[in-house]
Amino acid sequence: MPAWFEFAGLSFLVGVEQRSVSLSGAVDRGRVMLVRGPSGAGKTTLLRVLARLQHGTGDVWLGGRHWHSFAPTAWRAAVCYVAQQPAVFEGTVRDNLRRPFQLTAVGRRRRYDAAAAERGMRALMLPPALLEQDARLLSGGEAVRIAVLRALLADPAVLLLDEPTAALDRPTAAGFCDLLNHWLSEKPDRRAAVVITHDEFVVHRLRDPVFLEMDGGDPGRKSISDVPDQLGGR
């Protein structure tokens, strides 16, 4: 059986020197891939390419379907990217959590779940009363947690997270890891995550991760990282 989310020969350019990076990797259903590597290796660019927010060439499959068989909006609803400094929209925190459900690709298959939102707030150590606060008043760490919760509520097939615990203390990072573990285990046959992290606490807290190491390479040299034992033999 092929991996749930797989990319092969995925190539893109990184940095002002336009260094070429080529990667292959895969993550199975119900699991998380941790992406590690030095600054400038192209980790954030990888996630943006996987989300079809930035140009890249190569092959990506989700549940056995090639990414070019999805309309861009459908792909981005299924493969959801949360930036290290996520967007905060006008309105309350609740308005921000409800925003994905105004989009056709999400709203036609799922409704906003207020009870799940409150449970997620508590798991991320955010008081439910914060739901009525102006979202523009959120701290950096609060904004990241709200963006992660917004993505989880929209129920993507793959969640792409860029350093989600960078602004969190240990208890809050533990809450994040436990929530992500729970989300993956709820529907282990149709969910996976790809997470950029340098935090060893996260590495040990997340359940049974696979790893993708990006070494950064030298300017002008192709950097190749593989997870061969996870590939579906395509």
Side-chain angles (χ1 to χ4, degrees):
M1 178 181 294
W4 177 240
F5 189 58
E6 179 181 345
F7 48 96
L10 188 66
S11 298
F12 50 88
L13 301 176
V14 175
V16 294
E17 76 279 9
Q18 295 290 276
R19 177 172 52 84
S20 177
V21 175
S22 182
L23 296 165
S24 296
V27 58
D28 285 325
R29 294 162 174 80
R31 298 185 70 183
V32 58
M33 171 188 284
L34 298 182
V35 181
R36 303 189 295 185
S39 178
K43 300 183 298 297
T44 294
T45 304
L46 169 64
L47 295 197
R48 289 182 57 81
V49 170
L50 289 173
R52 291 176 68 173
L53 296 171
Q54 195 162 329
H55 177 70
T57 60
D59 296 305
V60 184
W61 296 272
L62 171 60
R65 284 185 60 188
H66 196 270
W67 62 341
H68 290 166
S69 71
F70 291 79
T73 53
W75 181 262
R76 292 176 193 132
V79 180
C80 183
Y81 170 65
V82 179
Q84 190 172 355
Q85 297 180 319
V88 175
F89 302 100
E90 185 177 353
T92 66
V93 170
R94 189 189 303 276
D95 292 334
N96 272 253
L97 292 178
R98 294 178 66 96
R99 189 177 178 89
F101 302 91
Q102 299 169 8
L103 305 175
T104 301
V106 175
R108 67 186 177 190
R109 62 179 177 82
R110 190 170 179 85
R111 293 182 178 274
Y112 174 74
D113 187 333
E118 291 199 12
R119 289 194 300 271
M121 295 280 286
R122 292 190 179 94
L124 293 171
M125 299 187 180
L126 295 167
L130 196 68
L131 287 165
E132 307 310 323
Q133 178 180 302
D134 186 333
R136 292 171 296 184
L137 301 179
L138 293 171
S139 70
E142 288 172 338
V144 169
R145 282 177 280 169
I146 291 299
V148 169
L149 179 56
R150 180 171 62 204
L152 291 174
L153 291 171
D155 193 25
V158 180
L159 188 60
L160 309 175
L161 302 176
D162 192 348
E163 294 280 7
T165 63
L168 306 183
D169 59 21
R170 278 288 172 265
T172 310
F176 158 79
C177 292
D178 293 345
L179 181 61
L180 183 58
N181 283 332
H182 176 71
W183 181 79
L184 291 168
S185 66
E186 276 187 319
K187 297 181 180 179
D189 61 332
R190 61 166 304 275
R191 288 177 176 170
V194 181
V195 180
I196 296 173
T197 187
H198 293 98
D199 191 338
E200 288 301 315
F201 176 82
V202 172
V203 171
H204 292 97
R205 188 86 178 192
L206 290 175
R207 188 180 303 123
D208 194 24
V210 296
F211 295 90
L212 180 67
E213 303 286 350
M214 296 180 65
D215 62 19
D218 297 320
R221 181 174 68 83
K222 182 180 290 186
S223 173
I224 302 177
S225 299
D226 292 285
V227 190
D229 61 329
Q230 292 296 319
L231 292 176
R234 292 184 185 276

